[in-house]
Amino acid sequence: MKLINDKYCSWINDLIVRTNIKILKSNEDCEWLIVGAGYTGLSAARKLSELNTDQKIIIVDAQLAGEGASGRNSGYLVDTTLNDGFTLKKELSNYKKKTDIYKLGIEVVKKFIKEHQVDCDWNESGKYFASSNKKDRKILENFSKTLLKLNFEHNILEKDDLSKRLGTNFYNLALYTKGGILLHPGKLVRAMVDALPDNVELLENTQLNEWSQNNNTIICKFNNHKIITKKIIFCTNGFLNTLGIKNNYNFPLTLTASMTRPLTDTEFKSIGEPKEWGVLPVRPMGATIRMTKDKRILIRNTAEVYNPFQMSKSDLDKRSLNQKVGIKKRFPGLADDIIESSWSGIVSRTKNSSQIFEKIDDKVFVAGCYNGSGIGVGTLFGEQIAIKASNKDSDEINIIESRNKPTWLPPQPFLNIGVKTRLLFERFRSRSDV
Ligand SMILES: Cc1cc2nc3c(=O)[nH]c(=O)nc-3n(C[C@H](O)[C@H](O)[C@H](O)COP(=O)(O)OP(=O)(O)OC[C@H]3O[C@@H](n4cnc5c(N)ncnc54)[C@H](O)[C@@H]3O)c2cc1C
């Protein structure tokens, strides 16, 4: 099955169209093959080239590099994610491990943008976990206790304050965390494509169909040609399953999002001219909604079991209509035809929200599955899996490997039935905030 992305993502449409696209045109041999060119694969390639200067490194992507989830996400580089408050010591220490990884993720992205002078609309604006449902106060108070114990600066805000800051009366309360960055995901990943070193060959529109091991080599089959490699790193995130990687530990979900055109000066004034902000939902299936630096509103309010290879235009249009309703609920005064683009993207999930970072055997490595928080963690895991695959060690690897490992999932069709039921239930619980 061929991976075909929709072409409607505003983040990607903001970027200059690339012209230097190379595809696989003949059989190739290499020392290293990286599959998938998002934050993870591109970061792995950067690090591998630094550690193995005289070796041949190829990175392939089924579509254009960086135009999968990495170029089409909501742009929250997170320091914390909402967990219903942990009181037990063991749970607190697990949550700390998770946030330690987020912290390293932020540092590694910061280092990259500094070194390469990247303009990706970086804004250390913090973020809001907001709800229109007064009953969610308990969840936020519990979360606040966890954050206090771990010294994350934050405060709870009430409706009046929120309406001034966000320009909408929709939310009743929120927990604001000072850490966390908003950025332009497309600009960040494009900078990673542009920063690929000379000893890395990028081949795009080059989808790996099959791979097998034979003695000391790995044979990778594409449409018309093969690549024979000594080592391989899988960085295909939501597509790990389609290549038979860790099938019982992760599954793909399809998310859809929409973005408005920039608000006019009159529209922006009518909502009180708020500064750039980002809201995450208190309940998992509520809407993520963001006011961008250039006054556009982004909304993401779906997560579904759907064919990850392609979403039809008519299905995307249905989700876009639903997102228009989400925007109008929060900003009733805005025009009906304000949405400029809608798109879909694939994430990878595990049962216990842990990530995959693994040496499968001496020649096969995998990093991925960030449960919707992959900007920082993907960049970190990409670099660190390259270090691990080069038989080197680092403090970061020790921190990553001390996290909980992903837990086992039931086989199909039970998995999809279970996930769909859970999503329906969560959507019902989040219904006021979709
Ligand atoms: C709508 C949406 C909103 C999100 N919001 C956020 C957010 O605000 N903050 C955050 O941190 N994260 C967010 N995420 C998640 C984040 O985008 C991902 O975790 C991150 O991009 C993962 O990076 P990656 O490089 O591992 O995977 P990807 O960017 O998915 O890259 C994998 C690449 O592998 C390629 N590939 C797949 N199969 C093959 C094959 N057989 N052969 C060759 N290539 C193949 C794909 O084409 C793709 O380019 C969001 C995701 C979506 C979809």
Side-chain angles (χ1 to χ4, degrees):
M1 214 188 263
K2 191 166 159 32
L3 199 170
I4 305 171
N5 254 324
D6 47 70
K7 302 272 181 233
Y8 316 107
C9 177
S10 289
W11 295 128
I12 295 172
N13 295 340
D14 287 346
L15 307 173
I16 294 168
V17 176
R18 287 180 46 240
T19 51
N20 53 342
I21 314 296
K22 284 195 199 152
I23 59 169
L24 179 66
K25 284 194 177 146
S26 57
N27 292 341
E28 298 268 358
D29 285 296
C30 59
E31 259 95 14
W32 297 95
L33 178 66
I34 299 166
V35 189
Y39 303 128
T40 310
L42 294 165
S43 302
R46 220 169 40 245
K47 189 49 100 181
L48 266 188
S49 105
E50 193 185 307
L51 299 173
N52 306 278
T53 38
D54 53 351
Q55 297 191 349
K56 184 167 169 189
I57 302 163
I58 298 180
I59 176 167
V60 292
D61 201 291
Q63 52 190 327
L64 293 184
E67 299 200 4
S70 294
R72 48 182 66 224
N73 62 64
S74 307
Y76 293 67
L77 175 53
V78 294
D79 59 336
T80 48
T81 44
L82 178 53
N83 288 261
D84 265 283
F86 288 101
T87 41
L88 296 176
K89 257 200 178 142
K90 184 164 166 257
E91 288 168 333
L92 190 69
S93 96
N94 284 336
Y95 187 66
K96 181 171 181 315
K97 283 181 192 167
K98 201 167 165 173
T99 53
D100 286 346
I101 289 178
Y102 290 150
K103 186 167 175 241
L104 290 176
I106 293 177
E107 279 164 14
V108 78
V109 176
K110 228 177 192 170
K111 185 160 171 269
F112 172 79
I113 63 166
K114 195 166 168 215
E115 257 174 45
H116 296 269
Q117 302 278 299
V118 178
D119 171 11
C120 60
D121 300 347
W122 181 276
N123 186 348
E124 297 185 9
S125 59
K127 62 187 179 325
Y128 299 84
F129 294 97
S131 176
S132 70
N133 189 343
K134 290 182 182 155
K135 289 186 191 145
D136 286 346
R137 183 174 298 276
K138 192 78 206 145
I139 299 177
L140 292 181
E141 283 174 358
N142 279 342
F143 185 39
S144 168
K145 284 181 197 153
T146 305
L147 296 181
L148 256 182
K149 285 184 193 145
L150 298 177
N151 292 324
F152 283 103
E153 230 179 289
H154 70 282
N155 56 310
I156 291 186
L157 293 161
E158 305 294 333
K159 189 177 177 106
D160 285 352
D161 233 351
L162 276 174
S163 107
K164 275 185 219 131
R165 290 188 187 207
L166 308 179
T168 165
N169 290 324
F170 181 77
Y171 293 104
N172 269 305
L173 74 163
L175 186 148
Y176 171 75
T177 66
K178 192 156 178 268
I181 290 110
L182 292 174
L183 52 74
H184 188 308
K187 288 185 183 172
L188 176 64
V189 74
R190 175 61 65 83
M192 291 187 188
V193 176
D194 293 342
L196 278 177
D198 290 345
N199 66 330
V200 173
E201 188 174 7
L202 170 64
L203 300 173
E204 299 168 86
N205 295 325
T206 297
Q207 180 167 322
L208 174 63
N209 297 324
E210 247 183 270
W211 65 285
S212 58
Q213 296 199 61
N214 184 14
N215 298 327
N216 279 329
T217 57
I218 299 159
I219 302 156
C220 297
K221 290 189 185 160
F222 298 82
N223 276 353
N224 299 314
H225 303 287
K226 285 184 197 162
I227 297 181
I228 296 184
T229 182
K230 292 197 177 124
K231 286 193 180 183
I232 189 163
I233 306 182
F234 287 100
C235 304
T236 53
N237 203 38
F239 297 88
L240 289 174
N241 280 353
T242 63
L243 295 165
I245 312 287
K246 304 289 295 174
N247 282 15
N248 289 328
Y249 294 89
N250 77 102
F251 59 92
L253 282 183
T254 299
L255 312 188
T256 50
S258 292
M259 179 109 84
T260 68
R261 58 164 168 73
L263 303 192
T264 61
D265 287 348
T266 317
E267 285 166 337
F268 195 54
K269 272 194 187 124
S270 76
I271 62 165
E273 302 180 279
K275 288 197 186 121
E276 182 176 14
W277 52 257
V279 162
L280 292 166
V282 171
R283 300 193 184 247
M285 294 292 280
T288 295
I289 182 152
R290 206 187 133 172
M291 174 70 68
T292 65
K293 182 185 169 193
D294 58 356
K295 303 176 202 161
R296 292 183 287 184
I297 299 171
L298 171 137
I299 181 164
R300 202 275 299 159
N301 64 6
T302 67
E304 312 168 67
V305 175
Y306 193 96
N307 163 20
F309 285 90
Q310 189 177 13
M311 177 170 278
S312 71
K313 177 80 171 72
S314 61
D315 278 352
L316 188 56
D317 288 345
K318 282 184 207 148
R319 284 146 186 84
S320 175
L321 267 181
N322 183 275
Q323 284 158 355
K324 183 174 93 180
V325 174
I327 291 177
K328 295 285 283 185
K329 268 203 301 200
R330 290 157 175 90
F331 300 98
L334 295 182
D336 272 350
D337 59 353
I338 200 162
I339 288 185
E340 189 178 70
S341 76
S342 300
W343 62 90
S344 64
I346 313 302
V347 294
S348 169
R349 293 235 31 146
T350 52
K351 191 175 172 188
N352 61 347
S353 293
S354 185
Q355 307 92 350
I356 293 175
F357 181 89
E358 209 170 305
K359 170 178 176 171
I360 292 179
D361 71 32
D362 280 347
K363 299 184 280 304
V364 182
F365 296 81
V366 53
C369 198
Y370 311 114
N371 298 288
S373 312
I375 300 176
V377 187
T379 307
L380 172 75
F381 276 35
E383 290 195 7
Q384 296 302 320
I385 201 72
I387 295 175
K388 191 173 174 73
S390 306
N391 286 325
K392 295 194 166 31
D393 208 354
S394 71
D395 293 342
E396 288 87 345
I397 292 178
N398 294 333
I399 293 173
I400 292 169
E401 292 190 335
S402 74
R403 83 207 183 284
N404 284 340
K405 307 288 176 293
T407 43
W408 188 85
L409 289 160
Q412 297 293 7
F414 306 105
L415 176 61
N416 274 358
I417 295 168
V419 174
K420 281 182 185 168
T421 314
R422 181 67 196 255
L423 291 176
L424 268 177
F425 170 71
E426 291 293 354
R427 197 161 173 91
F428 178 74
R429 288 208 322 147
S430 310
R431 64 194 179 285
S432 57
D433 280 30
V434 171

